[in-house]
């Protein structure tokens, strides 16, 4: 019997095409509610998602024939992983698919912050020609600290090889350092870092990890870049640190206020005070969770997922 796969988010067409060529039966439903999908998920052996809704225990209990859940992205935080695994469901993700995109975006944010590119561009367009106030910094000679040295962290460290920088990494796993980054304790990373880049998933351990206590643990004023998950940083505490000069600037591709689907920010009419500070800040660069969202990664993510589904099922 062919394996029936339900796609609940749109993806690069090669995912659909290559599964079809391999003998899978594809079905799409991009509009039904979670409850409506739950009512029919028993008819499918596979589901392909991005981040439309959470695959929780209730959903998994309805998916009595599910063999795999494939998320076209890097993380699996929208899935109750432990419960799915206990039901014998294979979990598939594709952190390899967008690691290069994230690495390039991270480096771009640092260089833009250091050289005030966004600010200078905006001033020129408004008729201002301010050279001294837009004097920048050089990355060479700095120490870059990376927290989370998996696919994303390693790809970013590789991009730094052309710069005369010291690269340190901290990770909960042992022996992950390589020729591009020296693995150190968190204490040593905090003592030496000038630029901090987060490449960690959103877990109970990392939720609100970057708060006032964490930031004050750094010996030197620093720049903070976050291309991981928004809720890993307490925005209000980041703002306090920026106001005091402890944080010199921030590049944020992700925000604490994002919805789980990543497709919207927040629905409330009142803008949070901390977020308004970021909007008004001259030392902040904001992007809408697009670090891993390039044309190239769109295709690469789909290809990685196809390959992994076939490896699991065929």
């Amino acid at each position: 019997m062919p394996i029936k796969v339900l796609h609940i988010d749109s993806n690069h067409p090669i995912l659909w095409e290559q599964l079809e060529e391999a003998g899978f039966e594809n079905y799409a439903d991009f509009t039904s509610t979670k409850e409506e999908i739950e009512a029919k998920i028993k008819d499918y052996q596979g589901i392909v998602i991005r981040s439309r809704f959470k695959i929780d225990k209730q959903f998994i209990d309805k998916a009595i024939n599910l063999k795999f859940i494939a998320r076209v992205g890097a993380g699996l935080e929208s899935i109750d992983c432990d419960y799915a695994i206990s039901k014998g469901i294979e979990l598939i993700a594709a952190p390899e698919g967008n690691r290069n995109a994230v690495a390039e975006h991270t480096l771009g944010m640092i260089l833009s912050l250091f050289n005030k590119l966004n600010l200078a561009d905006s001033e020129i367009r408004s008729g201002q020609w301010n050279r001294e106030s837009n004097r920048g910094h050089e990355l060479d000679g700095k120490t870059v600290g990376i927290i989370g040295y998996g696919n994303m962290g390693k790809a970013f460290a590789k991009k730094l090889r052309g710069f005369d920088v010291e690269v340190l990494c901290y990770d909960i796993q042992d022996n992950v350092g390589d020729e591009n980054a020296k693995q150190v304790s968190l204490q040593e990373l905090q003592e030496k870092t000038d630029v901090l880049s987060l490449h960690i998933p959103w877990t109970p351990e990392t939720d609100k990890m970057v708060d006032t206590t964490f930031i004050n643990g750094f010996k030197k004023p620093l720049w903070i870049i976050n291309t991981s998950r928004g809720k890993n940083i307490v925005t209000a505490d980041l703002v306090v640190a920026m106001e005091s000069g402890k944080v010199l600037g921030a590049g944020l591709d992700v925000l604490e206020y994002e919805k789980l689907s990543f497709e919207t920010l927040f629905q409330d009419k009142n803008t949070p005070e901390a977020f308004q500070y970021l909007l008004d800040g001259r030392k902040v660069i904001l992007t809408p969770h697009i670090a891993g969202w390039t044309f190239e990664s769109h295709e690469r993510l789909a290809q990685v997922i196809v390959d992994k589904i076939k490896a699991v099922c065929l």
Side-chain angles (χ1 to χ4, degrees), residues 152-195:
M152 309 302 171
K154 287 179 181 293
F156 172 52
K158 185 178 179 181
K159 299 297 179 190
L160 293 169
R161 288 169 62 175
F163 295 87
D164 184 15
V165 294
E166 180 181 20
V167 183
L168 306 177
C169 68
Y170 170 76
D171 196 281
I172 59 173
Q173 302 291 329
D174 295 328
N175 302 314
V176 297
D178 55 22
E179 68 275 12
N180 299 320
K182 176 186 176 185
Q183 186 169 9
V184 297
S185 67
L186 180 59
Q187 180 180 358
E188 182 174 347
L189 184 138
Q190 289 180 308
E191 287 175 356
K192 296 180 177 179
T193 290
D194 297 294
V195 181

Side-chain angles (χ1 to χ4, degrees), residues 55-126:
I55 306 295
D56 53 18
K57 182 178 179 180
Q58 176 179 304
F59 186 95
I60 293 167
D61 281 340
K62 303 277 188 178
I64 56 176
N65 293 307
L66 209 58
K67 296 181 182 295
F68 70 83
I69 302 170
R71 178 167 184 267
V72 187
L76 294 169
E77 66 267 29
S78 61
I79 303 169
D80 188 330
C81 296
D82 291 339
Y83 193 66
I85 292 169
S86 75
K87 294 293 185 178
I89 299 172
E90 191 80 26
L91 300 179
I92 299 170
E96 314 94 317
N98 61 357
R99 60 189 174 190
N100 184 72
V102 170
E104 291 191 6
H105 193 96
T106 303
L107 181 56
M109 280 191 144
I110 293 172
L111 295 177
S112 186
L113 273 175
F114 271 36
N115 294 285
K116 304 182 181 179
L117 299 184
N118 289 29
L119 180 61
D121 176 79
S122 176
E123 289 181 353
I124 290 277
R125 293 174 189 276
S126 64

Side-chain angles (χ1 to χ4, degrees), residues 77 172 200-209 229 231-232:
E77 66 267 29
I172 59 173
I200 48 179
W202 181 43
T203 68
E205 290 73 31
T206 63
D207 183 54
K208 299 179 177 62
M209 182 183 79
R229 290 293 184 261
K231 290 181 172 58
N232 293 332

Side-chain angles (χ1 to χ4, degrees), residues 91 106 112 125 139 170 189 213 220 225 237 248 265 271 304-305 314:
L91 300 179
T106 303
S112 186
R125 293 174 189 276
L139 185 54
Y170 170 76
L189 184 138
T213 300
K220 298 182 283 186
I225 310 295
D237 290 0
L248 301 171
L265 192 54
T271 302
V304 170
I305 290 295
L314 300 182

